[in-house]
Amino acid sequence: MYTGLLHLHSFLRWVILVLALVAIYKSYVGMTSGKPFTAGDKKTGLFLMIAAHITLLIGIYQWVVGPWGLQNIENMGFGEVMKDRVARFYAVEHLTGMLIAIILITIGRGVSKKAIPDVVKHKKTFWFFLVALLIILVSIPWPFRTGIARPWF
Ligand code: HEM
């Protein structure tokens, strides 16, 4: 089960990246050309948030049960984990970065429910999702990242 969930966690990154790009593009076009904030825009944000929250739940499970989170801290001690680049990445940096990004996505999605002008909705959504996307991009253990590298899928 652990391996299956790890694959799902890994695959969901692509769903999140695609949805974030679509949402950012839509809000950019919306704010620059004064388009209304449509039900479609709302749905893109909702699906992005759902994908991020499922990834978060699987991530918490992996962190608590798997070898790279809590277990590593218990085995090595927090001080040693912080000194080891790879252990620190999975036990602290990946979790912290992704948590911040998911909070930003959740706030960004909440903007669509507020009673504010559509152009402001587009603007706020754009910035929340853009910053979240950048944090996600630097927090993913891409195959080209030495030491922490993981497969594309
Ligand atoms: C947007 C959110 C997230 C994305 C896109 C993401 C992405 C990834 C990717 C691509 C991997 C490598 C998977 C593989 O080896 O094939 C990974 C591993 C991992 N992630 Fe995340 N992650 C996210 C959130 C989180 C969160 C919030 C946590 C912790 C609470 C977490 C904990 C972990 C752990 C512990 C591993 C290593 C698991 C293992 O190898 O046994 N992730 N993540």
Side-chain angles (χ1 to χ4, degrees), residues 19-132:
L19 285 172
L21 283 173
V22 171
I24 290 166
Y25 172 75
K26 281 175 140 201
S27 47
Y28 180 76
V29 172
M31 75 184 190
T32 49
S33 52
K35 285 192 174 162
F37 198 94
T38 63
D41 296 333
K42 220 173 168 178
K43 259 187 205 153
T44 312
L46 175 66
F47 291 146
L48 173 60
M49 189 184 74
I50 291 171
H53 283 203
I54 296 172
T55 313
L56 167 70
L57 290 180
I58 302 172
I60 292 172
Y61 168 76
Q62 287 173 157
W63 195 87
V64 173
V65 171
W68 285 101
L70 196 59
Q71 262 184 45
N72 229 7
I73 296 176
E74 280 169 0
N75 294 340
M76 293 172 70
F78 191 67
E80 288 307 308
V81 165
M82 290 308 281
K83 283 186 211 154
D84 183 302
R85 219 183 126 252
V86 180
R88 188 179 65 232
F89 175 81
Y90 284 104
V92 181
E93 293 168 0
H94 181 71
L95 167 142
T96 312
M98 294 308 194
L99 263 183
I100 295 171
I102 294 167
I103 289 170
L104 291 176
I105 287 174
T106 309
I107 299 173
R109 135 84 186 150
V111 165
S112 68
K113 293 193 279 183
K114 290 206 167 135
I116 49 175
D118 282 3
V119 66
V120 182
K121 274 188 194 177
H122 281 305
K123 220 182 236 177
K124 288 195 174 190
T125 311
F126 174 80
W127 284 111
F128 276 116
F129 290 169
L130 181 67
V131 176

